[in-house]
């Protein structure tokens, strides 16, 4: 257990410095949002979820597998916020992340040992499958959630859900093209939670959180190992050295 805790601690180190700056900026924004409104159990849970959620996406940005635990913990908080706002597909979205990304990451040696060295790229066939899958999930989920629940924003909810679900699968399969989906997902979630806030169904913190996700996605195209070859080589060397020090290589 001690070795595993040390491993998780190591996974929080060695990120691009911009990732740390963005986390502290996000933490400051969320703290101001928390204290400038009535503090309720919903706002506290949302604050915890958004803080862990930002750490999770920054971990993915840095190609670090600690995002598995961060994703599960933040998902629990976001599910509670989604229930309160009646954004039911946002709940399924979090469950989908847990099933398709968080748990597999925790169980996968490909993610837990030097993931940066195993990044892949889409082919034409991969692009086609991913786009068609996103459209299919959007049409099916929007129809079902609008018919069987009282979700006040079924098609906005469905856009966010379909893009995010596909992004989670692409991410676990180690394709860097995931960030086109994450960027679209961030825009969709920003619209969803801003509309929810304007309609009195959610706190502003969730909309702010989506904005931070968008900034993270833009950073990924510039300084992340997923796209930056120099950073990928640095992280690969760092992780190889760490793996050797604990006897994994």
């Amino acid at each position: 257990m001690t070795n595993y805790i040390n491993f998780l601690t190591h996974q929080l180190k060695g990120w691009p410095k911009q990732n740390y700056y963005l986390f502290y900026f996000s933490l400051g924004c969320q703290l101001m949002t928390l204290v400038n409104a009535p503090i309720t159990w919903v706002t506290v849970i949302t604050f915890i979820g958004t803080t862990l959620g930002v750490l999770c996406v920054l971990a993915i940005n840095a190609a670090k597998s600690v995002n598995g635990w961060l994703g599960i913990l933040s998902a629990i908080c976001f599910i509670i916020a989604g229930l309160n706002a009646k954004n039911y597909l946002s709940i399924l979205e979090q469950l989908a992340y847990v099933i398709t990304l968080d748990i597999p990451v925790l169980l996968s040696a490909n993610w837990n040992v030097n993931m940066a060295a195993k990044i892949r790229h889409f082919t034409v066939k991969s692009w086609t499958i991913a786009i068609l899958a996103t459209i299919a999930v959007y049409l099916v989920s929007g129809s079902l959630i609008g018919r069987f629940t009282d979700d006040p924003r079924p098609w906005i909810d469905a856009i966010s859900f379909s893009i995010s679900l596909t992004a989670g699968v692409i991410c676990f399969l180690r394709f860097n093209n995931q960030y086109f989906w994450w960027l679209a997902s961030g825009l969709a979630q920003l619209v969803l939670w801003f509309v929810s806030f304007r309609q009195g169904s959610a706190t502003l913190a969730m909309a702010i959180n989506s904005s931070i996700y968008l900034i993270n996605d833009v950073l990924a195209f510039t300084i992340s190992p997923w796209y930056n070859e120099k950073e990928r080589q640095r992280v690969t060397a760092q992780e190889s050295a760490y793996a050797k020090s604990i006897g994994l290589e």
Side-chain angles (χ1 to χ4, degrees):
M1 177 59 78
T2 300
N3 288 338
Y4 186 62
I5 292 175
N6 289 337
F7 168 76
L8 293 178
T9 302
H10 167 75
Q11 292 294 305
L12 293 170
K13 301 176 181 177
W15 296 3
K17 61 184 179 181
Q18 292 89 340
N19 289 33
Y20 294 112
Y21 297 157
L22 183 57
F23 171 70
Y24 291 122
F25 173 74
S26 170
L27 183 62
C29 289
Q30 296 294 1
L31 278 172
M32 288 189 291
T33 302
L34 179 66
V35 301
N36 283 331
I39 297 179
T40 65
W41 67 269
V42 175
T43 60
V44 172
I45 290 294
T46 302
F47 171 75
I48 296 172
T50 53
T51 301
L52 293 174
V54 168
L55 274 176
C56 177
V57 298
L58 289 172
I60 294 174
N61 181 313
K64 300 288 187 174
S65 61
V66 71
N67 74 284
W69 284 115
L70 294 171
I72 289 174
L73 295 174
S74 63
I76 294 171
C77 298
F78 289 150
I79 286 170
I80 295 172
L83 278 171
N84 183 70
K86 295 183 178 180
N87 288 337
Y88 299 116
L89 279 177
S90 72
I91 298 170
L92 293 179
E93 176 185 315
Q94 294 302 320
L95 291 173
Y97 285 154
V98 171
I99 295 170
T100 64
L101 182 58
D102 299 330
I103 292 177
V105 161
L106 293 176
L107 299 176
S108 171
N110 280 327
W111 262 87
N112 283 284
V113 180
N114 203 353
M115 211 291 300
K118 303 160 187 172
I119 292 171
R120 301 193 291 169
H121 313 280
F122 266 4
T123 62
V124 173
K125 180 180 178 180
S126 304
W127 274 108
T128 303
I129 293 173
I131 292 171
L132 291 178
T134 304
I135 295 172
V137 173
Y138 168 67
L139 294 174
V140 173
S141 62
S143 298
L144 292 178
I145 208 72
R147 178 177 299 181
F148 295 111
T149 76
D150 59 347
D151 189 326
R153 298 161 289 272
W155 290 105
I156 298 177
D157 210 353
I159 292 173
S160 177
F161 173 72
S162 60
I163 297 173
S164 299
L165 175 61
T166 310
V169 175
I170 296 171
C171 179
F172 176 68
L173 294 176
R174 307 187 311 280
F175 289 108
N176 67 349
N177 308 77
Q178 63 181 286
Y179 276 100
F180 292 100
W181 269 258
W182 289 133
L183 185 63
S185 171
L187 288 168
Q189 289 186 41
L190 178 60
V191 172
L192 171 65
W193 288 107
F194 181 73
V195 172
S196 300
F197 169 71
R198 290 293 300 269
Q199 294 177 351
S201 301
T203 69
L204 184 59
M206 291 299 290
I208 293 175
N209 189 63
S210 297
S211 300
I212 299 298
Y213 282 13
L214 276 175
I215 297 173
N216 171 71
D217 298 335
V218 172
L219 279 178
F221 286 107
T222 56
I223 54 90
S224 168
W226 294 94
Y227 280 94
N228 187 304
E229 182 62 32
K230 182 178 180 180
E231 182 64 16
R232 185 183 310 167
Q233 292 175 1
R234 183 190 71 80
V235 174
T236 298
Q238 176 193 66
E239 291 300 298
S240 295
Y242 177 76
K244 289 179 181 178
S245 71
I246 61 175
L248 291 179
E249 288 188 1

